[in-house]
Amino acid sequence: MQLTIPQCLYSQLIQEAKHHFPQECCGYLLGSTQGQNNLLQSYIPMPNTHKTPQTHFAFDPLDQLQAFGILKQKRLQIIGVFHSHPNSPPIPSQEDLRFSFFVTQSFLIISLKNGITFASYRINAHKAKKEKIEILS
């Protein structure tokens, strides 16, 4: 299992997390799947509508419908979800584990605590398994 991220998108995701600090940023990862590997080709930032956006994230259903329209235009598939942890390590929270339902999708977390760290997981039955991240230059 691997998530492959082009360097330009890696940099953009970092900027997205920094821009929304101290709140969590969030969105969909778009791309393609080859076997158990996901290749990131684009992403859709989503407004964080959670009542406590400093520590959690949520998508509004109407924003999700708009995102699906973009998805069709780009002819890509949702390969995962990303969000930031402004003040905690890139480890899925209990809420993250509870609300992740697609075992083939990458669950990317960008941590801003003590610098910038990334981690990606596949979540199945409320258990997270870390996947490799490859940054393409």
Side-chain angles (χ1 to χ4, degrees):
M1 295 181 311
Q2 176 174 302
L3 174 61
T4 303
I5 306 173
Q7 177 66 47
C8 62
L9 293 177
Y10 173 81
S11 298
Q12 289 173 23
L13 288 167
I14 291 170
Q15 290 309 311
E16 189 77 26
K18 287 180 176 180
H19 174 74
H20 288 279
F21 184 87
Q23 297 182 353
E24 291 191 4
C25 71
C26 55
Y28 287 115
L29 302 172
L30 308 181
S32 59
T33 300
Q34 298 170 353
Q36 290 190 355
N37 299 329
N38 289 329
L39 171 62
L40 182 63
Q41 294 169 281
S42 186
Y43 70 94
I44 302 172
M46 299 287 287
N48 184 350
T49 60
H50 200 282
K51 63 184 176 189
T52 55
Q54 295 80 9
T55 55
H56 297 89
F57 77 96
F59 299 154
D60 180 271
L62 291 177
D63 293 332
Q64 287 180 297
L65 288 174
Q66 288 180 333
F68 294 146
I70 294 169
L71 183 67
K72 280 181 104 173
Q73 286 176 341
K74 293 189 176 208
R75 293 192 167 120
L76 296 172
Q77 61 186 348
I78 295 173
I79 60 164
V81 170
F82 74 92
H83 75 285
S84 62
H85 282 184
N87 296 300
S88 61
I91 299 169
S93 68
Q94 288 304 311
E95 187 167 311
D96 292 338
L97 296 174
R98 222 177 12 254
F99 292 108
S100 183
F101 304 106
F102 302 101
V103 298
T104 59
Q105 292 186 350
S106 297
F107 195 81
L108 179 66
I109 302 173
I110 308 155
S111 173
L112 299 178
K113 181 178 181 169
N114 301 324
I116 297 166
T117 52
F118 271 63
S120 189
Y121 302 86
R122 302 287 174 98
I123 299 175
N124 187 4
H126 309 294
K127 292 188 171 88
K129 184 173 182 179
K130 201 170 195 179
E131 70 179 340
K132 181 181 175 190
I133 297 176
E134 178 184 11
I135 309 298
L136 297 178
S137 50

